[in-house]
Amino acid sequence: MRIAILGKPFSEAAQPFVQALLEDLVARQTEVLIAESFRTYLDNSLRLPEGIGSFRRGDSLRGVQFVFSIGGDGTLLDTVTYVGNLQIPILGINAGRLGFLATVTPAHLSQAIDSLFKGHFVIEERSLIRVDTDPDVFGDVNFGLNEFSILKRDTSSMIVVHTYIDGEYLNSYWADGLIVSTPTGSTGYSLSCGGPVMLPQTNNFIIAPVCPHNLNVRPLIVSDRSVISFEIEGRSNNFLLSLDSRSVPVDAGVQIAVRRETFTARLVKLNHVNFLSTLRSKLNWGLDRRNPAGIPL
């Protein structure tokens, strides 16, 4: 088996688990590749087994069976951009805080690897959002798992985002910004702006204003078969476009359109972990003393 690993610095308490992970993979005669930036960190904190290779952004991961993301949800979002249209299954190992997408804890790493090699897992297909701009802003990495945002910069006054669905005028949002979220991103930035939670298999986008000035405007669910386009205006001539964790300043007049990407992100789920159980455990969904004790939270 061939496995690629990406990650970010983690706590000292997680070091023995990651060390054991690498040794376990090598003992199973797995070809292991580690992202160059992450390998530099590991060289200074762990004893890397012999025979481990490396790769950098832009290198093809073709032939890799799984990609491990070690960190938090932000690390997993970055991992999706490395995998791209190869759609290699991604296993999220939570060495961060919340771990809504990265669900495997360091303490359960050994069992997770064993389940992976025995085939005791399921794959969840997650839709991605694609952003096209003129002039080009995001280059080849113009897709994301969570959301696309248009935001005002710094302390400037609010902006106006004229929004169209399939060429038809929807609304002009007077706000600090506007979010277009995937179902996966519905538990992120969109949720904090009053957007609904959607199941991952839902074929929709959420359009949610950020701090709207006209309070009768509410988040809207639209089909992800639609093309959503925008025109931006405001007192400032500069705005911020954000795609997951990547933000780029742009000038007024940039043309923007978003749609569903043609490929998906594939997330590995183990030990009966699913979206509903994650809602209950990570967001305390339905936490109520009246609920049956047999339902795990």
Side-chain angles (χ1 to χ4, degrees):
M1 189 177 289
R2 199 166 185 235
I3 291 176
I5 299 177
L6 295 97
K8 292 183 180 177
F10 42 80
S11 66
E12 187 174 337
Q15 290 182 4
F17 300 104
V18 178
Q19 179 75 50
L21 165 68
L22 297 174
E23 293 174 355
D24 188 3
L25 292 177
V26 171
R28 295 175 188 265
Q29 299 184 334
T30 304
E31 182 180 353
V32 179
L33 304 173
I34 301 178
E36 271 192 355
S37 56
F38 188 47
R39 177 165 186 156
T40 300
Y41 166 75
L42 293 180
D43 279 332
N44 295 323
S45 56
L46 302 179
R47 302 180 306 280
L48 294 186
E50 301 236 348
I52 289 182
S54 61
F55 67 96
R56 64 179 65 180
R57 182 178 289 279
D59 290 350
S60 175
L61 294 177
R62 195 173 300 279
V64 169
Q65 279 76 44
F66 296 96
V67 178
F68 290 0
S69 170
I70 302 177
D73 289 347
T75 308
L76 194 143
L77 296 179
D78 191 38
T79 301
V80 169
T81 67
Y82 276 81
V83 172
N85 60 7
L86 293 178
Q87 299 186 110
I88 303 167
I90 299 170
L91 177 66
I93 299 168
N94 179 26
R97 293 185 292 271
L98 183 62
F100 197 90
L101 296 172
T103 54
V104 177
T105 62
H108 292 93
L109 259 178
S110 177
Q111 301 95 306
I113 300 307
D114 199 45
S115 296
L116 196 69
F117 275 80
K118 289 179 178 178
H120 298 165
F121 61 88
V122 296
I123 299 292
E124 281 189 0
E125 302 273 351
R126 299 293 185 97
S127 62
L128 302 171
I129 189 169
R130 173 190 175 95
V131 181
D132 294 303
T133 61
D134 186 15
D136 183 33
V137 171
F138 293 106
D140 293 334
V141 192
N142 64 335
F143 55 90
L145 179 60
N146 265 7
E147 76 268 316
F148 167 70
S149 306
I150 302 170
L151 303 166
K152 71 173 189 176
R153 296 195 65 185
D154 305 323
T155 57
S156 61
S157 59
M158 64 182 171
I159 60 178
V160 185
V161 184
H162 306 293
T163 306
Y164 304 81
I165 299 177
D166 294 327
E168 294 188 16
Y169 175 67
L170 168 64
N171 186 38
S172 293
Y173 293 92
W174 296 70
D176 283 357
L178 192 70
I179 303 166
V180 182
S181 168
T182 66
T184 298
S186 70
T187 55
Y189 194 6
S190 173
L191 183 64
S192 70
C193 294
V197 174
M198 291 198 299
L199 298 180
Q201 296 77 22
T202 309
N203 298 318
N204 293 305
F205 288 135
I206 303 168
I207 301 175
V210 180
C211 299
H213 190 259
N214 39 353
L215 297 180
N216 58 335
V217 174
R218 291 293 181 264
L220 178 69
I221 297 176
V222 301
S223 168
D224 64 7
R225 294 179 181 271
S226 303
V227 176
I228 309 171
S229 53
F230 309 95
E231 296 172 355
I232 318 170
E233 65 173 285
R235 292 179 182 174
S236 171
N237 289 323
N238 300 103
F239 312 101
L240 200 64
L241 302 186
S242 179
L243 185 54
D244 283 350
S245 57
R246 307 182 302 281
S247 298
V248 181
V250 296
D251 295 329
V254 62
Q255 297 181 38
I256 309 164
V258 302
R259 68 194 75 205
R260 178 171 176 162
E261 184 55 273
T262 56
F263 53 88
T264 63
R266 308 180 71 211
L267 305 185
V268 177
K269 295 299 178 182
L270 302 165
N271 301 325
H272 308 292
V273 172
N274 56 46
F275 182 77
L276 299 181
S277 65
T278 303
L279 271 182
R280 293 193 300 270
S281 63
K282 301 294 184 178
L283 296 186
N284 293 328
W285 188 267
L287 184 61
D288 191 313
R289 65 187 302 173
R290 296 169 297 179
N291 284 340
I295 298 179
L297 294 177

